[in-house]
Amino acid sequence: MRYPSAKKLEEMDKKLKNAEGTLALPKNATYVERIKYDLCKRLVAFIRVNRITQAELAGKLGIDPARVSEIVHYKIDKFTIDTLLGYNRAVDPEFEIKIKPAI
């Protein structure tokens, strides 16, 4: 197996130095955190399936592109469930969540 040259590695390091990573859901995530993560995941899937940019989704939702970036990077602490539900309904008006009856 050939490894990239030192020059190529330096170029890659330069590009990735300020790149923002995607947050993973911790194993001990709360129920609310899992719901918010899944709601973000649906919006990321919407971007991919519809082949749109984050800026295009921001326009569709009427929000700042930086907010879409927070969704794409799963910064769930920046959102409430109702906000993420609203975004999902905006891109899919038929989207709904069903709650099981208590009994």
Side-chain angles (χ1 to χ4, degrees):
M1 174 191 267
R2 291 185 52 193
Y3 291 98
S5 67
K7 182 180 178 182
K8 186 67 174 173
L9 287 172
E10 189 175 312
E11 288 173 15
M12 290 168 49
D13 186 49
K14 194 174 189 178
K15 281 184 181 179
L16 296 173
K17 192 165 195 106
N18 294 321
E20 190 173 357
T22 298
L23 299 177
L25 194 62
K27 288 182 181 180
N28 64 341
T30 66
Y31 187 63
V32 169
E33 289 170 330
R34 289 194 310 264
I35 291 170
K36 292 195 291 186
Y37 192 89
D38 286 345
L39 291 169
C40 286
K41 191 187 318 186
R42 288 189 89 256
L43 293 166
V44 171
F46 181 83
I47 290 170
R48 290 187 177 151
V49 167
N50 291 283
R51 296 186 172 139
I52 63 172
T53 65
Q54 290 181 32
E56 289 170 324
L57 180 60
K60 186 172 185 60
L61 297 176
I63 62 175
D64 190 89
R67 294 292 282 165
V68 175
S69 180
E70 291 170 344
I71 291 168
V72 169
H73 290 97
Y74 294 89
K75 295 194 174 183
I76 59 175
D77 59 314
K78 305 253 184 197
F79 299 95
T80 60
I81 290 175
D82 59 325
T83 297
L84 292 170
L85 283 171
Y87 294 160
N88 275 277
R89 294 275 303 172
V91 298
D92 179 7
E94 294 183 23
F95 173 73
E96 58 183 47
I97 292 179
K98 300 206 183 226
I99 307 295
K100 289 182 188 179
I103 298 175

